[in-house]
Amino acid sequence: MKKLTFKFSYSSADYYFDSGVSQLREIADQKNSVIITDENVFDYHRKRIGQWKVIVLKPGEEFKVQRTIDSIIGQLIALEADRKTTLVGIGGGVITDITGYVASVYMRGVRFGFVPTTLLSMVDAAIGGKNGIDVGVYKNLVGVTRQPSFILYDLVFLNSLPQSEWINGFAEIIKHACIKDGAMFEELESGSLTKFENRKNLLRALVRRNALLKTRVVQKDEFEKGERRLLNFGHTIGHALENQYKLSHGQAIAIGMTYACHISEWVNRFKETDRVTRTLEKYGLPTYAKFDAQRVFEVLKMDKKRERTEINYVLLEKIGRGVMKPLPLEHIRSVIQQL
Ligand SMILES: NC(=O)c1ccc[n+]([C@@H]2O[C@H](COP(=O)([O-])OP(=O)(O)OC[C@H]3O[C@@H](n4cnc5c(N)ncnc54)[C@H](O)[C@@H]3O)[C@@H](O)[C@H]2O)c1
Ligand SMILES: [Zn+2]
């Protein structure tokens, strides 16, 4: 099977782009592996993974918590999993985050790999080695940074993906294009959701391009001291909105990116806000939203990226070039309130 190997600070990861989940056997010994997945993935794709030892979790972010980890550990003990066991997370970002985390603590660490099954996990969550869980209202508060041994891509999983999850994935893809890849942005501008859904070759190339883009950013800055923070484009206001309104992650960061573009106009003389908002809308994402600016601002003040009265913000210089800038909180407040 064709693979690409990427080196990180303490380990390397093999990516298998053009493969099928049936080839999982070649990288994970079936006898010594346990699959972790959720009910949705298992129900749709039972014939692909039913022959393996499988732990099936309830789907949803609300299960990305310590209680689920405890239950998985109990099941691993029952399955007699030991240091030679490989854990394979087959699912969206919730499953890959959980799998990477439990594999890092069970017996002080066992081998693990991912088969991402949502567009978002293919281009984002499965990549970069951040694995963790939520604690109360705090998302991803507890976790580790540890790279998977492998990521296997099989686009067949996307056949069952609901439309809303396609849209979530495209929010992160548009984010990647905005901060790092102007040419990909043009491709997105001229393409459409249906075009990518229906033309497997285009989709395959897009997934690969995004996976490589994020991987390169992580390789330069695995522990998020600088460059990796660019991946938070749209996420500052996005997270504040996601917590307070019933929005999907993709919707929230799409609005966040729109506002970040406007702040970029002020600070960097960025001139391409219209292109960004038109593209977001083309992929079914919201841009401007009525929200309580004061409430969002209160959450921003508590943002972990805040340093005193300034906040490190990801802005655009142009499409394809993101930059980090410390901004006075007051400045952000006035932009939010004027829009
Ligand atoms: N570790 C990281 O760097 C990183 C980056 C981005 C996001 N994340 C995390 O990822 C999570 C979001 O990921 P997600 O959007 O993939 O969410 P998810 O895992 O909850 O999947 C979304 C929904 O799609 C279902 N699903 C998954 N694959 C399917 C398929 N092939 N067919 C039909 N249904 C399917 C799931 O059961 C779920 O209901 C969040 O918890 C977020 O914190 C982590
Ligand atoms: Zn995100």
Side-chain angles (χ1 to χ4, degrees):
M1 222 185 340
K2 241 185 24 212
K3 72 175 179 193
L4 293 175
T5 302
F6 297 93
K7 284 205 177 359
F8 296 90
S9 313
Y10 300 111
S11 62
S12 62
D14 296 329
Y15 292 18
Y16 299 86
F17 279 112
D18 308 302
S19 36
V21 69
S22 60
Q23 292 165 292
L24 185 60
R25 278 186 198 86
E26 297 170 32
I27 33 180
D29 164 25
Q30 193 160 4
K31 199 159 59 52
N32 286 317
S33 300
V34 177
I35 287 177
I36 300 179
T37 189
D38 73 21
E39 284 171 359
N40 289 334
V41 177
F42 192 70
D43 289 350
Y44 283 118
H45 301 282
R46 190 185 298 253
K47 65 171 192 285
R48 301 194 163 86
I49 52 182
Q51 326 80 298
W52 293 71
K53 284 179 231 166
V54 191
I55 296 175
V56 184
L57 307 178
K58 294 222 172 304
E61 182 77 25
E62 64 269 34
F63 296 102
K64 205 176 97 174
V65 291
Q66 186 62 39
R67 203 166 4 95
T68 306
I69 304 298
D70 295 343
S71 142
I72 295 170
I73 291 172
Q75 295 180 70
L76 289 174
I77 295 169
L79 290 166
E80 298 181 356
D82 60 20
R83 283 200 192 84
K84 293 194 294 293
T85 301
T86 298
L87 298 188
V88 186
I90 305 188
V94 168
I95 290 298
T96 55
D97 277 13
I98 287 178
T99 303
Y101 180 57
V102 78
S104 302
V105 294
Y106 186 70
M107 294 193 156
R108 295 198 192 83
V110 297
R111 181 172 182 260
F112 70 101
F114 299 144
V115 181
T117 65
T118 62
L119 184 58
L120 184 136
S121 60
M122 290 181 184
V123 300
D124 188 356
I127 294 159
K130 282 193 194 176
N131 313 289
I133 53 168
D134 307 332
V135 181
V137 295
Y138 303 104
K139 277 200 72 182
N140 304 320
L141 185 75
V142 168
V144 296
T145 303
R146 192 162 171 258
Q147 299 298 332
S149 297
F150 62 84
I151 308 178
L152 186 151
Y153 285 86
D154 187 343
L155 268 53
V156 79
F157 286 101
L158 297 178
N159 292 344
S160 57
L161 195 71
Q163 188 69 0
S164 56
E165 299 301 337
W166 280 89
I167 294 173
N168 265 328
F170 269 97
E172 303 289 359
I173 289 173
I174 294 169
K175 175 196 81 178
H176 284 158
C178 284
I179 58 168
K180 282 279 166 200
D181 192 340
M184 177 163 78
F185 191 91
E186 284 172 24
E187 211 174 280
L188 293 166
E189 246 177 342
S190 59
S192 71
L193 199 54
T194 10
K195 188 166 157 196
F196 284 109
E197 277 175 288
N198 295 332
R199 292 184 45 191
K200 279 278 139 56
N201 284 342
L202 282 183
L203 181 67
R204 190 169 291 118
L206 187 73
V207 165
R208 184 188 171 109
R209 186 170 187 158
N210 279 275
L212 295 178
L213 185 155
K214 179 165 178 188
T215 302
R216 274 193 300 274
V217 171
V218 174
Q219 279 180 310
K220 279 196 209 152
D221 175 28
E222 192 170 356
F223 299 99
E224 198 159 341
K225 303 265 187 288
E227 175 94 354
R228 189 169 184 171
R229 296 188 190 167
L230 291 179
L231 296 168
N232 293 327
F233 177 59
H235 282 57
T236 308
I237 289 182
H239 280 150
L241 289 171
E242 198 174 349
N243 291 339
Q244 297 187 45
Y245 298 92
K246 276 212 166 350
L247 291 172
S248 71
H249 181 68
Q251 291 172 326
I253 68 160
I255 297 167
M257 287 190 268
T258 303
Y259 283 74
C261 284
H262 280 281
I263 299 172
S264 305
E265 287 181 12
W266 277 39
V267 181
N268 284 340
R269 302 210 184 102
F270 176 66
K271 293 185 185 63
E272 299 171 300
T273 301
D274 286 354
R275 285 180 69 198
V276 176
T277 54
R278 251 184 282 125
T279 306
L280 289 168
E281 283 164 6
K282 191 166 188 189
Y283 287 83
L285 289 157
T287 48
Y288 298 92
K290 285 233 173 305
F291 57 81
D292 183 341
Q294 189 55 34
R295 264 175 72 193
V296 167
F297 187 74
E298 290 303 317
V299 182
L300 278 194
K301 285 208 302 202
M302 307 300 292
D303 193 287
K304 58 178 181 261
K305 288 180 282 298
R306 178 179 67 120
E307 271 145 29
R308 274 166 287 160
T309 54
E310 296 200 319
I311 189 165
N312 268 322
Y313 218 91
V314 186
L315 302 173
L316 300 182
E317 275 181 351
K318 59 177 192 177
I319 285 176
R321 194 187 300 151
V323 286
M324 291 284 308
K325 288 242 167 107
L327 287 185
L329 273 167
E330 277 311 312
H331 199 127
I332 299 169
R333 186 214 288 270
S334 62
V335 176
I336 296 180
Q337 279 172 342
Q338 280 179 36
L339 284 172

